[in-house]
């Protein structure tokens, strides 16, 4: 039998090879490192996983599509963006994962997101593979008409790669209900099919699931609550810092407040708002979802309890809980040290890979409960899979039913991660638990399905 350290050496060689074969993709390297550095115990214990080629196949997407997205702005000028869809792994079901529209998008970013999505989707226990896509299009400051023309052009290429049994995109940063509507309309027009299960995050009344908009944020709060319960605590009376002000942040704040915690911050790229009385969600939703404005407007309109800190990071506000809900690598080593100094008990990732590897290690060493995104934020994609189930059955469930299923899924993900970590001598280490449990499910399916 190979030892853990021999196995780790093999995995380290593979990581070096990944870096060579995928130059200039730092985010993908980071995501691959983060998973592969926790797999040695399971690969050493179960010889079938050491089969040559298994992990090599896992880190190579099944298919990667890059395409031109030409569109006309309101002045009639032709703009050209780049579109991506990375279909990473379909051993467990159709590729599933969101679309991100943000100027920072490139192939490496989409690959990191797609790679994480494989394990996240496996952890939900549902039949969905992993994929991700998007564009370097920046929706900020664009009119509705421009966003519509962009989405139509994007779908005019994407439609040939997706389908309810093939690949099912959804939203991510920069892609919400409005964009999904325009994308779905164009798909329907080109294919002449009512195929509601081809996209998730659709609007109520034309195939969308109740609770899908809330699911990522709600799920993350449920995961944080489960981690606290392990330590004999609950959310009641805890102060929480939340970063971001998009869909994930808004519904994180909503659930925290409903469960008795005080969520005191939100942010965007201009800075953050701290509100001692707790974030007023009606005001935040009005500014972000209706007016599509910036968070400084919140502080201006809220009155004395709130202030806007330009350029700052929410992590400097003392809190019991931290829920990074904006974007990758937004919480670094210095931020982790500040949180620890201020007595943080748990950090739970609403965004994908928001915490740098150095920060994760620091938090874990300090005994802070750390919920990695692929477990903690899996509620969004889980409810997407429930939306697909409703679409296939041509039915729609009540909000109460969807919320109950979401709560069951989050509890089961927490239990799986917790027990898996214990089984592999890493008690309390949710990163190891999530990576190994997700890996086992995908790897078993890949082995059973042969070398493809
Ligand atoms: N973009 C979300 C995620 O990171 C949701 C994906 C989906 O619903 O397909 O998991």
């Amino acid at each position: 039998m190979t030892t853990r350290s021999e196995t780790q050496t093999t995995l380290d060689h593979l990581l070096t090879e990944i870096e060579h074969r995928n130059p200039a993709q730092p985010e993908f390297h980071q995501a691959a490192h983060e998973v592969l550095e926790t797999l040695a115990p399971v690969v050493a214990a179960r010889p079938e996983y050491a089969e040559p080629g298994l992990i090599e196949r896992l880190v190579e997407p099944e298919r990667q599509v890059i395409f031109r997205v030409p569109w006309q702005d309101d002045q009639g000028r032709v703009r050209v963006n780049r579109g991506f869809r990375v279909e990473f792994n379909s051993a467990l079901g159709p590729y599933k994962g969101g679309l991100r529209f943000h100027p920072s998008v490139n192939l490496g970013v989409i690959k990191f997101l797609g790679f994480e999505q494989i394990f996240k989707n496996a952890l939900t226990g549902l039949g969905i593979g992993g994929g991700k896509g998007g564009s370097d299009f920046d929706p900020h400051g664009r009119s509705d008409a421009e966003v519509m023309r962009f989405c139509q052009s994007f779908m005019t290429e994407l439609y040939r790669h997706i389908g309810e049994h093939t690949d099912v995109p959804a939203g991510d940063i920069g892609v919400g209900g409005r964009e999904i509507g325009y994308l779905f309309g164009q798909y329907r027009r080109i294919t002449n099919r009512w195929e509601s299960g081809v996209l998730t995050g659709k609007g109520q009344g034309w195939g969308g699931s109740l609770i899908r908009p809330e699911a990522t944020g709600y799920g993350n709060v449920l995961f944080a609550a489960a981690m606290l319960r392990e330590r004999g605590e609950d959310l009641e009376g805890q102060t929480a810092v939340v970063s971001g002000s998009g869909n994930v942040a808004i519904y994180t704040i909503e659930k925290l407040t409903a469960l008795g915690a005080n969520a005191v911050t939100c942010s965007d790229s201009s800075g953050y708002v701290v509100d001692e009385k707790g974030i007023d969600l009606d005001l935040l939703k009005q500014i972000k979802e209706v007016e599509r404005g910036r968070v400084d407007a919140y502080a201006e309109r809220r009155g004395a309890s709130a202030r806007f800190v330009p350029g700052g990071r929410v992590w400097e506000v003392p809190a019991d809980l931290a829920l990074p809900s904006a974007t990758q690598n937004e919480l670094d080593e210095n931020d982790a040290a500040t949180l620890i100094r201020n007595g943080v008990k748990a950090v739970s990732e609403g965004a994908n890979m928001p915490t740098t590897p150095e920060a994760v290690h620091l938090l874990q060493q300090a005994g802070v409960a750390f919920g990695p995104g692929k477990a903690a934020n899996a509620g969004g994609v889980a409810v997407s899979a429930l939306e697909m189930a409703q679409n296939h059955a041509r039915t729609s469930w009540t909000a109460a039913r969807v919320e109950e299923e979401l709560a069951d899924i989050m509890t089961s993900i927490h239990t799986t991660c917790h027990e898996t970590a214990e089984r592999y001598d890493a008690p309390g280490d949710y990163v190891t638990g999530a990576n190994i449990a997700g890996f086992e499910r995908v790897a078993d399916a890949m082995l059973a399905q042969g070398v493809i």
Side-chain angles (χ1 to χ4, degrees), residues 210-211 218 222 255 398-408:
L210 289 165
I211 307 298
Y218 280 19
L222 297 176
K255 196 57 159 185
T398 61
R401 172 158 178 203
V402 180
E403 230 190 305
E404 206 174 297
E405 300 248 3
L406 170 63
D408 286 350

Side-chain angles (χ1 to χ4, degrees), residues 314-319 332-344 362:
V314 298
W315 320 122
E316 63 202 34
V317 176
D332 67 16
E333 222 174 340
N334 290 332
D335 302 318
T338 309
L339 286 168
I340 294 165
R341 225 178 9 258
N342 288 332
V344 75
L362 212 58

Side-chain angles (χ1 to χ4, degrees), residues 103 172 272 280 430:
D172 196 83
Y272 74 87
D280 175 341
Y430 291 95

